[in-house]
Amino acid sequence: MNPEKQSVRDFWNAAPCGTTGVQEQEDLRVFLQEIERQRYELEPFIAQFADFARWKGDRTLEVGCGTGTDLLQFLRAGAKAQAIDLSSRSAELARERLRFEGFESNRVILSDAEHLPFPDNCFDLVYSWGVLHHTPDTVRAFEEVHRVVRPGGEICIMLYHKWSLLSLLFYMRFGLLKGRPFRSIDEVMAAHQESPGTKVYTRPQLEALFSRFQNVRVQPILTPYDVQYGRDRFLPVWIRRFIPDSLGYFLVVQGRK
């Protein structure tokens, strides 16, 4: 594993997705349930895009499952769901989550988004929420997604938005206010947003990167993180009414192979 990817894995081993801000509990089951509660409280729109119940009986793959919260929803809905994650700590927590719910823990594989351990054309849905912008060779990961989706199968992939309110706030904080006005948003986000090298995209960029798929739709979502002003501190919900969705930090890509 190259040093860049190793640094990404180390970051998520130290702070698996969804655990930041969730108080540790002696009872692991309670801790994982709280991760689930907070995830859907902050991002209720996940259910709209994932449409878990729709995939009953179908083969689904989640690329980057974190602690397994969304994977669990697919399984509860009756999907033949599998997942991978680069972080051994995340995969361990996801497996424990499945065991608590009576599902087979081997549905979670420790693996790499750039080298998916599956044959061609084998999934009805490939789903990934806020993950692929972290892997160093994102284009290779997109190619792998295309490879494993069956003809007629679908994708639902969330990536970070370059022209979002949050990205602009990061630019002000780490560019303008640091006396570095010529520092690009891409550079700022790669250095200061989550794991090293995090990428952000424009809608046209994603439309081009996913051009091998049909009926590609790229939709921005305004999130609580766009009005976050401190750790676990968010401006009131009503303020979001005055911010256009086009400035949302999440871009959801949907399409069909």
Side-chain angles (χ1 to χ4, degrees):
M1 183 178 295
N2 64 43
E4 189 177 5
K5 192 173 293 182
Q6 181 68 55
S7 67
V8 172
R9 184 171 70 173
D10 290 346
F11 180 93
W12 295 110
N13 275 338
C17 184
T19 61
T20 303
V22 179
Q23 185 174 356
E24 288 279 358
Q25 303 281 341
E26 290 186 13
D27 188 327
L28 180 58
R29 185 195 294 262
V30 173
F31 176 61
L32 292 169
Q33 288 173 340
E34 180 60 15
I35 291 172
E36 179 177 346
R37 186 193 68 79
Q38 289 197 23
R39 180 174 181 80
Y40 299 128
E41 182 179 279
L42 287 171
E43 302 179 36
F45 38 75
I46 287 177
Q48 170 193 342
F49 288 97
D51 198 4
F52 300 110
R54 180 183 166 209
W55 302 101
K56 181 178 180 179
D58 289 331
R59 291 199 66 188
T60 67
L61 171 66
E62 182 174 5
V63 180
C65 66
T67 58
T69 303
D70 292 351
L71 172 64
L72 183 58
Q73 311 315 310
F74 282 111
L75 289 169
R76 285 172 174 167
K80 299 172 184 176
Q82 293 179 268
I84 66 112
D85 205 283
L86 181 68
S87 158
S88 57
R89 178 58 179 155
S90 298
E92 177 186 343
L93 289 170
R95 289 169 184 152
E96 284 297 315
R97 190 77 175 100
L98 297 193
R99 290 189 192 103
F100 287 141
E101 295 282 336
F103 295 107
E104 297 172 334
S105 62
N106 62 6
R107 293 177 180 274
V108 178
I109 299 171
L110 185 65
S111 190
D112 182 344
E114 297 172 20
H115 304 90
L116 295 175
F118 305 104
D120 298 353
N121 307 318
C122 63
F123 290 102
D124 299 292
L125 170 72
V126 174
Y127 170 84
S128 184
W129 195 264
V131 174
L132 296 182
H133 41 235
H134 295 302
T135 198
D137 190 347
T138 305
V139 172
R140 171 66 183 266
F142 294 164
E143 291 172 350
E144 280 290 273
V145 168
H146 185 272
R147 180 182 67 79
V148 301
V149 177
R150 67 166 179 81
E154 298 181 31
I155 58 168
C156 179
I157 297 173
M158 186 275 280
L159 299 145
Y160 291 159
H161 188 193
K162 181 174 182 176
W163 302 125
S164 63
L165 180 60
L166 185 64
S167 296
L168 294 172
L169 290 172
F170 265 66
Y171 166 70
M172 289 179 63
R173 179 181 177 186
F174 297 106
L176 288 179
L177 296 179
K178 295 290 186 180
R180 301 178 64 185
F182 298 108
R183 196 180 191 192
S184 70
I185 289 178
D186 296 282
E187 180 186 352
V188 166
M189 301 306 280
H192 300 287
Q193 175 63 337
E194 298 177 335
S195 60
T198 298
K199 302 173 188 68
V200 288
Y201 295 93
T202 66
R203 294 173 73 175
Q205 282 176 328
L206 291 181
E207 288 167 355
L209 286 166
F210 286 93
S211 61
R212 295 176 68 190
F213 290 90
Q214 302 174 24
N215 304 320
V216 172
R217 304 176 303 283
V218 182
Q219 180 175 339
I221 307 173
L222 193 70
T223 76
Y225 315 111
D226 293 290
V227 290
Q228 187 172 3
Y229 64 93
R231 184 174 180 177
D232 302 323
R233 294 183 178 182
F234 304 91
L235 295 175
V237 172
W238 61 265
I239 288 180
R240 288 183 237 163
R241 300 175 192 167
F242 300 97
I243 304 173
D245 289 341
S246 60
L247 289 177
Y249 188 48
F250 291 179
L251 288 177
V252 180
V253 182
Q254 294 176 289
R256 184 183 301 273
K257 182 174 177 180

